[in-house]
Amino acid sequence: MTSGPRLFSILRQGSILIASIHTALDDSQLERFREDLIDRIGRERAKGVIIDVAALDVVDSFATRTLRGITDMARLRGAQTVVVGIQPDVAFVIVQLGMDTGSLVTALDLEEGLTHLAATAGASIGPAR
């Protein structure tokens, strides 16, 4: 295990996991993020997941596929996922390159992501039940 600053964090707020990516991740780090997050969904019995990518100024095709995969795996584990904080330039590149976002649900920011999960998944940020 390497020392140094954490490149991502996963926090629990009620029945929601909030996963924040703090800096660009290489492919192996993205795979570790996916594994850690999917594991936590089961352990925490999460109903909703928010993935915050606001710190990223580049999202390549592997990262897009990984986010799509996380969304599908989370759904199979009983949690809905919302990706928040996509920067305008990143959104532009994703569209211009024709990257398939598939089943990704997005929201502008954390607040809108929480609102979406409360409305669609019955998830809450209050104490876990």
Side-chain angles (χ1 to χ4, degrees):
M1 188 172 256
T2 60
S3 61
R6 292 283 309 213
L7 303 177
F8 60 86
S9 59
I10 304 170
L11 306 172
R12 179 181 180 181
Q13 292 292 316
S15 62
I16 296 173
L17 293 178
I18 301 171
S20 297
I21 299 174
H22 305 294
T23 188
L25 303 177
D26 66 27
D27 292 357
S28 64
Q29 293 164 334
L30 273 169
E31 289 173 355
R32 173 67 188 267
F33 172 69
R34 181 193 65 218
E35 291 167 7
D36 288 358
L37 184 53
I38 296 304
D39 178 61
R40 288 281 301 270
I41 289 169
R43 278 192 290 124
E44 304 285 349
R45 304 180 67 77
K47 291 183 181 180
V49 177
I50 292 178
I51 301 174
D52 185 352
V53 297
L56 302 182
D57 56 2
V58 174
V59 177
D60 64 12
S61 60
F62 183 80
T64 302
R65 280 194 315 275
T66 301
L67 290 172
R68 258 190 3 245
I70 290 170
T71 297
D72 292 341
M73 287 183 242
R75 182 182 42 79
L76 291 170
R77 302 224 46 199
Q80 290 189 25
T81 303
V82 179
V83 177
V84 303
I86 296 175
Q87 298 297 323
D89 291 341
V90 172
F92 180 78
V93 169
I94 288 172
V95 170
Q96 289 299 309
L97 295 178
M99 292 182 201
D100 180 16
T101 56
S103 57
L104 278 183
V105 174
T106 61
L108 185 60
D109 55 24
L110 181 60
E111 183 178 352
E112 285 189 15
L114 290 169
T115 300
H116 176 79
L117 289 176
T120 61
S124 67
I125 60 169
R129 293 183 185 160

